[in-house]
């Protein structure tokens, strides 16, 4: 079974530029998560989708971050404009379905973003 | 006070040692407790999952939850160099769409 795919793996941009990350979850997984992991910290949930609807985006900085999950499969996370403090690893995870009580979230390898 | 506290280490032990990793938390609503392992430049992978209080064993790994003390532990027996990674505790208050709250992670090195 293929895992969660993310691209790009690395990205370096200057502050005030924009950037987009892509995630393809495990086939059949209805729930998709985007996390931000700053160096030395645990992952912090940014947004959670159930199919193509948003379940929780309370920690998403909506003035600069946006995310979508069209057709309930792939998802993109965008930052515009980027700030220095956005330097982090952006992790995508998926799980079978939250209503099934499925707690195992499968994580992708992440995209390492450096903002200079 | 952060919701979940975890000593970041680093922790260095000789091969074969018993490793004890711990987290404390402040939110008494947490009921689901997990341990994730994260290798360098990889995403976290679930190691152990426990509901409410008690112990759970899986091979060389044992997870303990003490809700009265708001304290969880992961023990690794007969540690191996391949166990060298960052271990993250995570917890949530309920089922479904309740978000996971992660600790900072403890970096473990097992020296051959």
């Amino acid at each position: 079974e293929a895992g969660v795919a993310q691209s790009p793996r690395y990205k370096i941009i200057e502050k005030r530029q924009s950037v987009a990350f892509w995630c393809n979850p495990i086939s059949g997984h209805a729930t998709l998560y985007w996390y931000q992991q700053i160096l030395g910290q645990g992952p912090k949930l940014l947004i959670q989708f159930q199919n193509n609807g948003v379940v929780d985006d309370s920690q998403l900085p909506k003035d600069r971050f946006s995310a979508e999950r069209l057709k309930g499969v792939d998802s993109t996370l965008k930052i515009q404009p980027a700030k220095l403090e956005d330097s982090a690893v952006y992790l995508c995870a998926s799980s079978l379905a939250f209503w099934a009580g499925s707690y195992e979230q499968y994580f992708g390898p992440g995209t390492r973003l450096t903002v200079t | 006070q952060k919701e979940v506290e975890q000593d970041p280490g680093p922790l260095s032990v000789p091969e074969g040692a018993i490793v004890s990793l711990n987290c404390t938390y402040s939110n008494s609503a947490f009921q689901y407790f997990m341990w994730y392992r994260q290798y360098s430049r990889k995403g976290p992978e679930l190691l152990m999952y426990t509901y409410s209080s008690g112990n759970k064993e899986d091979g060389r790994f044992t997870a303990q939850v003490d809700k009265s003390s708001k304290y969880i532990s992961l023990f690794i027996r007969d540690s191996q160099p391949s166990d060298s990674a960052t271990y993250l505790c995570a917890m949530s208050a309920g089922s479904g769409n309740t978000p996971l709250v992660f600790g900072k992670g403890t970096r473990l090195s097992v020296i051959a």
Side-chain angles (χ1 to χ4, degrees), chain A residues 40-104:
Chain A
Q41 305 283 325
K44 183 185 83 171
L45 180 70
L46 292 176
I47 189 167
Q48 177 181 344
F49 292 94
Q50 179 65 28
N51 295 311
N52 60 348
V54 175
V55 174
D56 183 353
D57 64 356
S58 57
Q59 298 193 86
L60 187 73
K62 298 180 186 64
D63 58 333
R64 298 184 301 107
F65 286 64
S66 64
E68 61 182 8
R69 190 183 184 198
L70 299 175
K71 300 180 182 178
V73 181
D74 293 4
S75 177
T76 56
L77 176 69
K78 296 179 182 177
I79 308 175
Q80 183 179 12
K83 293 185 175 181
L84 295 177
E85 59 261 36
D86 298 332
S87 294
V89 175
Y90 290 85
L91 293 162
C92 179
S94 69
S95 65
L96 198 57
F98 75 76
W99 63 74
S102 173
Y103 297 99
E104 180 149 16

Side-chain angles (χ1 to χ4, degrees), chain A residues 6-11 89 108-113, chain B residues 40-43:
Chain A
Q6 290 188 248
S7 68
R9 291 295 313 278
Y10 305 92
K11 191 75 178 177
V89 175
T111 296
R112 185 176 298 271
L113 173 68
Chain B
S40 181
R41 301 189 182 275
K42 301 283 188 183

Side-chain angles (χ1 to χ4, degrees), chain B residues 1-5 22-30 33 53 64-73 91:
Chain B
Q1 181 188 16
K2 286 190 176 291
E3 274 195 298
V4 180
E5 300 273 10
N22 312 292
C23 288
T24 59
Y25 62 94
S26 58
N27 188 345
S28 57
F30 287 146
F33 304 92
S53 285
Q64 288 184 352
V65 175
D66 182 349
K67 289 189 71 180
S68 62
S69 301
K70 296 190 179 67
Y71 187 88
I72 70 170
S73 302
M91 43 200 83

